[in-house]
């Protein structure tokens, strides 16, 4: 898969999401929003991994599009956690920047694949 940078970045992002979840759930005793963040934030990389073995360009685009949707959802949960004072600004800024980077890479990958002949 050409997008090994994307695969690696999404994996390291997932690790940071897991650490954030563990911190919020143990220190702030918040389990609902942080669990949603955990699910969407780790799903990004899982879908990128699935795309590695796509059966066609269409299947690849579909998996990457799901990863993009999960990135958008992750942004939502990050904003909610920050605005409800469960997530500190410093950690929020780091995670939101990484997520935006993933979104840009996913959009670029999807657009490139759409230009390829089927």
């Amino acid at each position: 898969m050409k997008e090994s940078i994307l695969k690696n970045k999404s994996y390291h992002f997932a690790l940071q999401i897991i650490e954030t979840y563990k911190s919020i759930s143990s220190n702030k005793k918040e389990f609902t929003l942080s669990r949603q963040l955990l699910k969407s934030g780790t799903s990004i990389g899982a879908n990128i991994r699935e795309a590695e073995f796509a059966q066609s360009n269409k299947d690849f685009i579909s998996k990457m599009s799901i990863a993009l949707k999960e990135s958008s959802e992750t942004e939502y949960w990050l904003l909610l956690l920050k605005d409800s004072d469960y997530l500190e600004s410093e950690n929020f800024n780091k995670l939101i920047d990484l997520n935006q980077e993933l979104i840009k890479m996913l959009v670029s990958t999807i657009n490139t694949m759409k230009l390829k002949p089927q």
Side-chain angles (χ1 to χ4, degrees), residues 1 5 7 9 12 16-17 24 30 33 35-36 48 52 55 60 62 65 73 80 82 92 101 106 108 110 116:
M1 180 168 137
I5 293 172
K7 186 170 81 170
K9 284 185 181 284
H12 291 290
Q16 291 183 28
I17 291 293
I24 292 171
E30 194 296 313
L33 300 176
R35 178 88 174 131
Q36 291 296 117
I48 291 168
E52 275 188 290
Q55 297 173 345
F60 182 88
S62 175
S65 295
E73 182 180 339
L80 274 179
K82 178 190 65 92
F92 168 80
E101 188 175 340
L106 285 163
S108 176
I110 291 166
K116 286 191 173 191

Side-chain angles (χ1 to χ4, degrees), residues 5 8 14 19 44 52 99:
I5 293 172
N8 291 336
E19 286 303 313
I44 299 164
E52 275 188 290
N99 193 51

Side-chain angles (χ1 to χ4, degrees), residues 36 75 102 111 113:
Q36 291 296 117
E75 183 176 305
L102 288 173
N111 288 339
M113 286 304 290

Side-chain angles (χ1 to χ4, degrees), residues 9-115:
K9 284 185 181 284
S10 64
Y11 180 79
H12 291 290
F13 180 72
L15 288 174
Q16 291 183 28
I17 291 293
I18 292 166
E19 286 303 313
T20 299
Y21 168 76
K22 290 188 326 190
S23 174
I24 292 171
S25 61
S26 65
N27 297 335
K28 306 251 180 161
K29 304 298 183 214
E30 194 296 313
F31 303 100
T32 306
L33 300 176
S34 58
R35 178 88 174 131
Q36 291 296 117
L37 174 67
L38 178 67
K39 290 166 75 173
S40 65
T42 57
S43 181
I44 299 164
N47 281 289
I48 291 168
R49 285 285 180 116
E50 257 189 84
E52 275 188 290
F53 297 99
Q55 297 173 345
S56 65
N57 282 353
K58 185 176 179 182
D59 187 32
F60 182 88
I61 292 167
S62 175
K63 300 291 188 236
M64 288 296 194
S65 295
I66 293 168
L68 180 58
K69 289 177 186 180
E70 293 294 336
S71 292
S72 178
E73 182 180 339
T74 298
E75 183 176 305
Y76 177 77
W77 296 120
L78 286 169
L79 287 164
L80 274 179
L81 285 163
K82 178 190 65 92
D83 291 343
S84 59
D85 295 323
Y86 285 111
L87 184 60
E88 303 81 27
S89 291
E90 183 179 326
N91 197 17
F92 168 80
N93 290 333
K94 177 180 69 172
L95 291 171
I96 206 77
D97 288 347
L98 291 171
N99 193 51
Q100 284 297 315
E101 188 175 340
L102 288 173
I103 286 172
K104 288 175 185 172
M105 292 174 79
L106 285 163
V107 167
S108 176
T109 300
I110 291 166
N111 288 339
T112 299
M113 286 304 290
K114 284 182 178 179
L115 295 175

